[in-house]
């Protein structure tokens, strides 16, 4: 299994790194991370943008899947459903917990709960990751 620091190093130069995703816990069935709600991740009202919630959760589902892949395999998201419940204000930190609902041979299903600094549930994202065969 790749270490959390190895995966963080792979994320940092990519979009998740640009967003500021920081992994804090990593296991085959659970990924936890934090994200500082910066102005550039917000709507005009200083509330975290829905797309930022979705990208944050998508990253964690992909990370969870990568931890479960055998050598040479890859992954891509095939579907995602987001329920927005509350907001997170600019300057605060949100925490996401991503749990495996299904870990099969060809698909993995993850559910991510994102909470604001007060612990209030802001969004729930359920996604399916497809396991890709190694490229020839």
């Amino acid at each position: 299994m790749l270490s959390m620091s190895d995966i963080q190093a792979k994320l940092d130069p990519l979009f998740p790194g640009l967003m500021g995703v920081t992994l804090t816990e990593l296991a085959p069935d659970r990924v936890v991370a934090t994200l500082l709600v910066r102005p550039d991740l917000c709507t005009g009202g200083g509330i975290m943008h829905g797309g930022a919630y979705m990208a944050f959760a998508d990253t964690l589902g992909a990370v969870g899947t990568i931890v479960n892949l055998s050598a040479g395999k890859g992954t891509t998201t095939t579907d995602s459903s987001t329920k927005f419940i509350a907001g997170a204000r600019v300057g605060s930190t949100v925490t996401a917990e991503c749990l495996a609902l299904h870990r099969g041979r060809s698909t993995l299903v993850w559910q991510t709960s994102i909470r604001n600094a007060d612990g209030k549930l802001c969004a729930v994202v359920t996604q399916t990751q497809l396991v890709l065969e190694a490229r020839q």
Side-chain angles (χ1 to χ4, degrees):
M1 180 170 101
L2 290 170
S3 73
M4 188 167 64
S5 61
D6 289 340
I7 294 175
Q8 186 69 58
K10 289 180 184 294
L11 294 178
D12 286 345
L14 304 174
F15 181 66
L18 180 66
M19 284 184 62
V21 174
T22 302
L23 299 174
T24 60
E25 295 180 43
L26 182 64
D29 62 348
R30 183 172 182 262
V31 181
V32 179
T34 59
L35 178 68
L36 174 64
V37 182
R38 303 184 320 249
D40 58 331
L41 298 176
C42 289
T43 63
I47 300 296
M48 188 164 157
H49 189 282
Y53 284 110
M54 294 166 73
F56 187 23
D58 186 63
T59 297
L60 299 193
V63 166
T65 300
I66 289 166
V67 169
N68 284 277
L69 293 177
S70 55
K73 302 278 182 162
T75 187
T76 191
T77 306
T78 61
D79 68 86
S80 181
S81 172
T82 304
K83 304 296 182 223
F84 299 107
I85 299 164
R89 295 219 169 268
V90 67
S92 67
T93 297
V94 291
T95 301
E97 179 184 40
C98 182
L99 301 173
L101 300 180
H102 167 74
R103 293 186 296 154
R105 286 187 324 249
S106 60
T107 61
L108 289 87
V109 179
W110 297 89
Q111 186 169 66
T112 304
S113 298
I114 302 172
R115 296 182 181 277
N116 66 20
D118 296 326
K120 186 171 184 177
L121 186 63
C122 294
V124 176
V125 181
T126 304
Q127 73 188 84
T128 302
Q129 292 287 137
L130 178 66
V131 176
L132 301 172
E133 295 300 321
R135 293 185 180 186
Q136 300 292 326

